[in-house]
Amino acid sequence: MIGAYCSLYKSCKRCGQSKYYRQFPPRGGRKASGASRKSVCRKCERRKPAVQAPQAPPVPRAAKLLRQDRQGMIRMKGKSNNGRPWMQEIEWSLAVLLVEEQAAVVVTPYMIRRLYSNDDFRNMIMTRDRYTCRYCGGYGDTIDHIVPKSKGGHTTPVNCVCSCYACNQSKADQDAAGFMEKQRSPI
């Protein structure tokens, strides 16, 4: 069947119109399989693909689940180290950040719950980093904020690392990248 063709009547994948196709078999005389048949019509084949507008970054899932009250706040509840429950109001953006970084869960659209008490959070960070200082590689006995609280950092698992007391004190309120640069450069 070299040079023969089969006739098809199917719809185009781009425009959706039903059209009549003439499909030639692939070279070598083999019959055309279903996978090698054309899926778009000639008109769509000639058309240039439409330029797509750049897409906005995806909205965090937590932003869809949480709703602000009239003041733009969300309630956060949790338990202290001794087991007593507490509740406070926080900004909506911080609540979204805490949920996205898995430090809290959504209870209702207007309330989240912290997953860790302060001691539990500290132990979780220390075991995650295997009690190794992120900056010098020695034994780590404290946790440090990569972006300091004074510069807008929050106490979340992504922003906290294990560090030794000496590195934590010498870093103070510097950014982690700036502190690492100072450690590398000889003075």
Short mmCIF file of all heavy atoms in Angstrom, two decimals, residues 94-131:
data_model
loop_
_atom_site.label_atom_id
_atom_site.label_comp_id
_atom_site.label_asym_id
_atom_site.label_seq_id
_atom_site.Cartn_x
_atom_site.Cartn_y
_atom_site.Cartn_z
N LEU A 94 0.23 36.94 57.93
CA LEU A 94 1.02 36.07 58.80
C LEU A 94 0.33 34.71 58.95
O LEU A 94 0.98 33.67 58.96
CB LEU A 94 1.24 36.71 60.16
CG LEU A 94 1.99 35.88 61.19
CD1 LEU A 94 3.36 35.47 60.68
CD2 LEU A 94 2.10 36.64 62.50
N ALA A 95 -0.99 34.71 59.05
CA ALA A 95 -1.74 33.45 59.17
C ALA A 95 -1.54 32.60 57.92
O ALA A 95 -1.33 31.38 58.01
CB ALA A 95 -3.22 33.74 59.40
N VAL A 96 -1.59 33.23 56.75
CA VAL A 96 -1.37 32.50 55.50
C VAL A 96 0.04 31.91 55.48
O VAL A 96 0.25 30.75 55.11
CB VAL A 96 -1.61 33.42 54.27
CG1 VAL A 96 -1.14 32.76 52.99
CG2 VAL A 96 -3.08 33.79 54.17
N LEU A 97 1.03 32.70 55.91
CA LEU A 97 2.42 32.24 55.94
C LEU A 97 2.59 31.05 56.88
O LEU A 97 3.23 30.05 56.53
CB LEU A 97 3.34 33.38 56.37
CG LEU A 97 4.82 33.05 56.47
CD1 LEU A 97 5.42 32.90 55.08
CD2 LEU A 97 5.55 34.10 57.25
N LEU A 98 1.99 31.12 58.06
CA LEU A 98 2.10 30.03 59.03
C LEU A 98 1.47 28.75 58.51
O LEU A 98 2.01 27.66 58.68
CB LEU A 98 1.47 30.43 60.36
CG LEU A 98 2.21 31.48 61.17
CD1 LEU A 98 1.38 31.95 62.35
CD2 LEU A 98 3.55 30.94 61.65
N VAL A 99 0.34 28.87 57.83
CA VAL A 99 -0.32 27.68 57.28
C VAL A 99 0.48 27.11 56.12
O VAL A 99 0.66 25.90 56.00
CB VAL A 99 -1.77 28.00 56.87
CG1 VAL A 99 -2.41 26.84 56.12
CG2 VAL A 99 -2.61 28.34 58.10
N GLU A 100 0.99 27.98 55.24
CA GLU A 100 1.75 27.52 54.09
C GLU A 100 3.05 26.83 54.51
O GLU A 100 3.49 25.89 53.87
CB GLU A 100 2.07 28.68 53.15
CG GLU A 100 0.89 29.13 52.35
CD GLU A 100 0.36 28.08 51.40
OE1 GLU A 100 1.16 27.45 50.69
OE2 GLU A 100 -0.85 27.88 51.38
N GLU A 101 3.68 27.31 55.57
CA GLU A 101 4.94 26.73 56.04
C GLU A 101 4.72 25.63 57.07
O GLU A 101 5.64 25.21 57.75
CB GLU A 101 5.86 27.82 56.58
CG GLU A 101 6.31 28.76 55.48
CD GLU A 101 7.36 29.75 55.94
OE1 GLU A 101 7.77 29.69 57.12
OE2 GLU A 101 7.76 30.58 55.12
N GLN A 102 3.49 25.17 57.22
CA GLN A 102 3.10 24.05 58.05
C GLN A 102 3.45 24.23 59.52
O GLN A 102 3.86 23.30 60.20
CB GLN A 102 3.69 22.75 57.51
CG GLN A 102 3.21 22.46 56.11
CD GLN A 102 3.89 21.27 55.49
OE1 GLN A 102 4.82 20.71 56.06
NE2 GLN A 102 3.41 20.86 54.33
N ALA A 103 3.29 25.45 60.01
CA ALA A 103 3.45 25.71 61.44
C ALA A 103 2.08 25.82 62.10
O ALA A 103 1.99 25.87 63.32
CB ALA A 103 4.23 26.99 61.67
N ALA A 104 1.02 25.88 61.29
CA ALA A 104 -0.35 25.99 61.80
C ALA A 104 -1.30 25.31 60.82
O ALA A 104 -0.95 25.06 59.67
CB ALA A 104 -0.74 27.46 61.98
N VAL A 105 -2.51 25.02 61.31
CA VAL A 105 -3.55 24.43 60.46
C VAL A 105 -4.80 25.29 60.55
O VAL A 105 -5.02 26.00 61.53
CB VAL A 105 -3.88 22.98 60.85
CG1 VAL A 105 -2.73 22.05 60.56
CG2 VAL A 105 -4.28 22.88 62.30
N VAL A 106 -5.62 25.21 59.51
CA VAL A 106 -6.87 25.98 59.47
C VAL A 106 -7.93 25.22 60.25
O VAL A 106 -8.21 24.05 59.98
CB VAL A 106 -7.32 26.20 58.01
CG1 VAL A 106 -8.66 26.94 57.98
CG2 VAL A 106 -6.27 26.96 57.24
N VAL A 107 -8.53 25.88 61.25
CA VAL A 107 -9.62 25.29 62.03
C VAL A 107 -10.95 25.72 61.41
O VAL A 107 -11.80 24.88 61.10
CB VAL A 107 -9.55 25.72 63.51
CG1 VAL A 107 -10.71 25.17 64.30
CG2 VAL A 107 -8.24 25.29 64.11
N THR A 108 -11.13 27.01 61.25
CA THR A 108 -12.29 27.59 60.56
C THR A 108 -11.74 28.67 59.64
O THR A 108 -10.57 29.03 59.74
CB THR A 108 -13.30 28.22 61.55
OG1 THR A 108 -12.70 29.35 62.16
CG2 THR A 108 -13.74 27.23 62.62
N PRO A 109 -12.55 29.22 58.75
CA PRO A 109 -12.04 30.30 57.89
C PRO A 109 -11.53 31.52 58.65
O PRO A 109 -10.78 32.31 58.11
CB PRO A 109 -13.24 30.66 57.03
CG PRO A 109 -14.07 29.43 56.99
CD PRO A 109 -13.89 28.79 58.34
N TYR A 110 -11.91 31.66 59.92
CA TYR A 110 -11.50 32.82 60.71
C TYR A 110 -10.51 32.45 61.82
O TYR A 110 -10.16 33.30 62.62
CB TYR A 110 -12.72 33.48 61.34
CG TYR A 110 -13.69 33.99 60.31
CD1 TYR A 110 -14.80 33.25 59.94
CD2 TYR A 110 -13.48 35.20 59.67
CE1 TYR A 110 -15.68 33.72 58.98
CE2 TYR A 110 -14.35 35.68 58.72
CZ TYR A 110 -15.45 34.92 58.37
OH TYR A 110 -16.31 35.37 57.41
N MET A 111 -10.05 31.18 61.88
CA MET A 111 -9.20 30.76 62.98
C MET A 111 -8.20 29.69 62.52
O MET A 111 -8.53 28.82 61.73
CB MET A 111 -10.03 30.18 64.12
CG MET A 111 -9.23 29.78 65.33
SD MET A 111 -10.25 29.10 66.64
CE MET A 111 -11.18 30.53 67.10
N ILE A 112 -6.94 29.81 63.02
CA ILE A 112 -5.93 28.79 62.80
C ILE A 112 -5.44 28.30 64.15
O ILE A 112 -5.65 28.94 65.18
CB ILE A 112 -4.74 29.31 61.95
CG1 ILE A 112 -4.00 30.43 62.67
CG2 ILE A 112 -5.20 29.73 60.58
CD1 ILE A 112 -2.70 30.84 61.99
N ARG A 113 -4.76 27.13 64.14
CA ARG A 113 -4.21 26.57 65.37
C ARG A 113 -2.74 26.29 65.17
O ARG A 113 -2.35 25.64 64.20
CB ARG A 113 -4.93 25.27 65.74
CG ARG A 113 -4.42 24.65 67.02
CD ARG A 113 -5.24 23.45 67.44
NE ARG A 113 -5.28 22.42 66.43
CZ ARG A 113 -4.40 21.42 66.33
NH1 ARG A 113 -3.39 21.33 67.17
NH2 ARG A 113 -4.51 20.51 65.39
N ARG A 114 -1.89 26.81 66.07
CA ARG A 114 -0.45 26.53 66.03
C ARG A 114 -0.24 25.06 66.34
O ARG A 114 -0.87 24.49 67.23
CB ARG A 114 0.29 27.32 67.10
CG ARG A 114 0.61 28.74 66.84
CD ARG A 114 1.77 29.05 65.93
NE ARG A 114 3.07 28.51 66.26
CZ ARG A 114 4.07 29.21 66.73
NH1 ARG A 114 3.92 30.48 66.98
NH2 ARG A 114 5.22 28.64 66.96
N LEU A 115 0.67 24.42 65.63
CA LEU A 115 0.91 23.00 65.82
C LEU A 115 1.89 22.71 66.95
O LEU A 115 1.86 21.64 67.54
CB LEU A 115 1.45 22.39 64.52
CG LEU A 115 0.46 22.34 63.37
CD1 LEU A 115 1.13 21.81 62.12
CD2 LEU A 115 -0.74 21.49 63.73
N TYR A 116 2.76 23.66 67.25
CA TYR A 116 3.81 23.40 68.23
C TYR A 116 3.79 24.46 69.34
O TYR A 116 3.61 25.63 69.07
CB TYR A 116 5.20 23.46 67.58
CG TYR A 116 5.34 22.57 66.38
CD1 TYR A 116 5.30 23.09 65.10
CD2 TYR A 116 5.52 21.20 66.54
CE1 TYR A 116 5.44 22.27 63.99
CE2 TYR A 116 5.65 20.37 65.45
CZ TYR A 116 5.61 20.91 64.17
OH TYR A 116 5.74 20.10 63.08
N SER A 117 4.04 24.01 70.57
CA SER A 117 4.32 24.97 71.64
C SER A 117 5.77 25.42 71.44
O SER A 117 6.49 24.88 70.59
CB SER A 117 4.14 24.32 73.01
OG SER A 117 5.12 23.33 73.21
N ASN A 118 6.22 26.38 72.22
CA ASN A 118 7.58 26.90 72.04
C ASN A 118 8.63 25.81 72.24
O ASN A 118 9.58 25.69 71.46
CB ASN A 118 7.85 28.07 72.99
CG ASN A 118 7.06 29.29 72.59
OD1 ASN A 118 6.58 29.38 71.47
ND2 ASN A 118 6.90 30.22 73.52
N ASP A 119 8.48 24.99 73.28
CA ASP A 119 9.44 23.92 73.54
C ASP A 119 9.39 22.85 72.45
O ASP A 119 10.43 22.35 72.01
CB ASP A 119 9.19 23.27 74.90
CG ASP A 119 9.59 24.18 76.06
OD1 ASP A 119 10.33 25.16 75.80
OD2 ASP A 119 9.19 23.89 77.21
N ASP A 120 8.18 22.49 72.02
CA ASP A 120 8.04 21.49 70.96
C ASP A 120 8.66 21.98 69.65
O ASP A 120 9.31 21.23 68.92
CB ASP A 120 6.58 21.14 70.71
CG ASP A 120 5.96 20.41 71.89
OD1 ASP A 120 6.71 19.83 72.71
OD2 ASP A 120 4.71 20.42 71.99
N PHE A 121 8.47 23.27 69.36
CA PHE A 121 9.03 23.84 68.15
C PHE A 121 10.55 23.81 68.19
O PHE A 121 11.21 23.43 67.23
CB PHE A 121 8.53 25.29 67.96
CG PHE A 121 9.01 25.93 66.70
CD1 PHE A 121 8.42 25.63 65.49
CD2 PHE A 121 10.07 26.83 66.71
CE1 PHE A 121 8.86 26.21 64.32
CE2 PHE A 121 10.51 27.42 65.56
CZ PHE A 121 9.91 27.10 64.35
N ARG A 122 11.12 24.20 69.32
CA ARG A 122 12.57 24.19 69.49
C ARG A 122 13.13 22.78 69.30
O ARG A 122 14.10 22.57 68.58
CB ARG A 122 12.94 24.74 70.86
CG ARG A 122 14.41 24.82 71.13
CD ARG A 122 14.65 25.39 72.54
NE ARG A 122 16.05 25.54 72.80
CZ ARG A 122 16.85 24.55 73.17
NH1 ARG A 122 16.38 23.34 73.32
NH2 ARG A 122 18.13 24.78 73.41
N ASN A 123 12.50 21.79 69.93
CA ASN A 123 12.96 20.40 69.81
C ASN A 123 12.83 19.90 68.37
O ASN A 123 13.69 19.15 67.89
CB ASN A 123 12.19 19.49 70.75
CG ASN A 123 12.55 19.72 72.20
OD1 ASN A 123 13.65 20.17 72.50
ND2 ASN A 123 11.62 19.44 73.10
N MET A 124 11.77 20.30 67.68
CA MET A 124 11.57 19.88 66.30
C MET A 124 12.68 20.43 65.40
O MET A 124 13.23 19.71 64.57
CB MET A 124 10.20 20.36 65.80
CG MET A 124 9.80 19.80 64.45
SD MET A 124 10.02 20.83 63.00
CE MET A 124 9.21 22.32 63.38
N ILE A 125 13.03 21.71 65.57
CA ILE A 125 14.10 22.32 64.77
C ILE A 125 15.44 21.66 65.08
O ILE A 125 16.22 21.35 64.18
CB ILE A 125 14.17 23.84 65.01
CG1 ILE A 125 12.89 24.52 64.56
CG2 ILE A 125 15.38 24.46 64.32
CD1 ILE A 125 12.62 24.44 63.09
N MET A 126 15.72 21.41 66.35
CA MET A 126 17.00 20.81 66.75
C MET A 126 17.14 19.40 66.19
O MET A 126 18.20 19.04 65.67
CB MET A 126 17.12 20.78 68.27
CG MET A 126 17.00 22.14 68.92
SD MET A 126 18.42 23.14 68.66
CE MET A 126 19.29 22.79 70.12
N THR A 127 16.09 18.59 66.26
CA THR A 127 16.19 17.23 65.73
C THR A 127 16.22 17.24 64.20
O THR A 127 16.90 16.41 63.59
CB THR A 127 15.02 16.36 66.21
OG1 THR A 127 13.80 16.99 65.91
CG2 THR A 127 15.13 16.09 67.69
N ARG A 128 15.51 18.16 63.57
CA ARG A 128 15.54 18.25 62.11
C ARG A 128 16.96 18.53 61.62
O ARG A 128 17.42 17.94 60.65
CB ARG A 128 14.59 19.36 61.63
CG ARG A 128 14.58 19.54 60.12
CD ARG A 128 13.91 20.81 59.72
NE ARG A 128 14.76 21.96 60.07
CZ ARG A 128 14.39 23.22 59.93
NH1 ARG A 128 13.20 23.52 59.49
NH2 ARG A 128 15.22 24.20 60.26
N ASP A 129 17.66 19.45 62.30
CA ASP A 129 19.02 19.82 61.90
C ASP A 129 20.09 18.96 62.58
O ASP A 129 21.29 19.24 62.44
CB ASP A 129 19.27 21.30 62.20
CG ASP A 129 18.41 22.21 61.36
OD1 ASP A 129 17.84 21.73 60.36
OD2 ASP A 129 18.32 23.41 61.68
N ARG A 130 19.68 17.93 63.31
CA ARG A 130 20.58 16.97 63.97
C ARG A 130 21.56 17.64 64.92
O ARG A 130 22.74 17.27 64.97
CB ARG A 130 21.31 16.14 62.93
CG ARG A 130 20.38 15.30 62.10
CD ARG A 130 21.13 14.46 61.13
NE ARG A 130 20.16 13.73 60.32
CZ ARG A 130 20.36 13.43 59.06
NH1 ARG A 130 21.46 13.79 58.46
NH2 ARG A 130 19.44 12.75 58.41
N TYR A 131 21.10 18.66 65.64
CA TYR A 131 21.90 19.36 66.64
C TYR A 131 23.24 19.84 66.06
O TYR A 131 24.25 19.84 66.75
CB TYR A 131 22.13 18.49 67.87
CG TYR A 131 20.87 18.27 68.66
CD1 TYR A 131 20.01 17.22 68.36
CD2 TYR A 131 20.51 19.13 69.69
CE1 TYR A 131 18.84 17.02 69.07
CE2 TYR A 131 19.36 18.94 70.43
CZ TYR A 131 18.52 17.88 70.10
OH TYR A 131 17.36 17.69 70.80
#
